[in-house]
Amino acid sequence: MRTTLWGGIAATTLPLAVTCCLPVRLESREPAKAVTDCHCGTAAAAQTSAAPPIPTPQGASVTSTPGPSAPAPVPTLLPRVHDPVLAKEAGVYYLFSTGRGITLHTSKDRLLWQRQGRVFPDSIPWTVETIPGSTDHYWAPDISFFNGKWHLYYSVSTFGKNRSAIGLATNKTLDPRRPDYQWKDEGLVVESKPGDDWNAIDPNIALDDKKQPWLSFGSFWGGIKLQKLDPATGKLAKPTTLYSLSSRPRTAGGVGAVEAPFILRHGSFYYLFVSFDFCCKGIDSSYNIRVGRAAKITGPYLDREGKPMMEGGGTLVRASASRWRGPGHNAVYRENDKDWLVYHAYDADDNGASKLLIEELPWDKEGWPKMPAP
């Protein structure tokens, strides 16, 4: 039986009418391309199980999360997000996504989502100093919990360039009502510069079987990379090795279009999810989700047919359908021994708006993701 949640709603439920809309610029990691999408709400029923709005902390600083960017945000079934990642604390789901200061939504049931504004109220000073031309529009966040606190990683870059960086902020809690709630800027984790054959964006943290944290990242150029982290600091371990996990050919006009890694341990294997091809083109987006697996977190990762992901391999998980185009930049959320595929796709019924989709992620008897037809 297939279980599908469109922004948390069962597929048999019709989405509500979309109201509108604040323009938001979405990143494209391929050279010199970008699009403008909009961030808005959906008309919702009066009764809602979305989490209540987050209040503005007293004396909020650059490392504290402010309250809503607009009064009384409207709960939505299909929030407009890009590069979503999901966490849960004390009965509340927290959805982080690309946006100014990192966009935050909350929900109590994954059905209705309340936009809570931005994690960082202002630009983080080191980011604009390190990456010339960057703004407070941070890309592709990742949230994880280890060493007794939450770690929020995010990308800083400019369109079509690999002068990029991954930053880190930490917090003891995701609940702004707790007295110990405060995002602390931990600064730079890793950066790439012109001349490097990799791009330091799209971070993802995975823990191996010994609870050792690892950082995977990458977009275009030489593909997906992996480095070990120091669990005490959340930054690169010393000494560190740069492992290569996935790449695509850059011959015959190819541009090595692979990005957005997410590593998940299932059974005795590590599974590397990536996105092939191109995001950020609305209904013309060609993004699609691929996967391979390895016995060790450092690889080598092979697809179902045995093709190495370093040679362009990757078994298809999700591709465009009639309504939902360019599915990609996925995370996997595990709850009660069930896995959920969390990603964005472009809604052909709403002018190609990028929206949150959540689907149950089933596994076949050979231990591979087995998604039903969309």
Side-chain angles (χ1 to χ4, degrees), residues 21-26 35-39 80-82 346 351-355:
C21 230
L22 298 174
V24 156
R25 194 160 178 82
L26 300 179
V35 300
T36 299
D37 198 3
C38 57
H39 232 94
R80 298 192 177 207
V81 301
H82 217 258
Y346 302 90
N351 299 314
S354 177
K355 297 182 180 180

Side-chain angles (χ1 to χ4, degrees), residues 85 96 139-144 151-154 203-206 261-262 331:
V85 66
F96 299 85
W139 303 349
D142 185 76
I143 186 74
S144 60
H151 292 68
L152 180 62
Y153 294 82
Y154 56 92
N204 169 246
I205 303 303
F262 191 96

Side-chain angles (χ1 to χ4, degrees), residues 149-152 168-172 182-186:
K149 56 187 174 183
W150 291 99
H151 292 68
L152 180 62
L168 170 63
T170 59
N171 205 330
K172 293 182 179 179
Q182 184 175 23
W183 286 106
K184 179 183 178 183
D185 172 28
E186 305 285 1

Side-chain angles (χ1 to χ4, degrees), residues 243-260:
Y243 296 91
S244 295
L245 305 186
S246 174
S247 66
R248 296 186 70 194
R250 289 179 286 172
T251 57
V255 292
V258 58
E259 59 186 7

Side-chain angles (χ1 to χ4, degrees), residues 96-114:
F96 299 85
S97 60
T98 289
R100 295 191 63 187
I102 303 177
T103 302
L104 177 65
H105 290 78
T106 58
S107 173
K108 288 189 175 180
D109 56 12
R110 285 187 283 124
L111 298 178
L112 291 173
W113 292 93
Q114 190 103 14

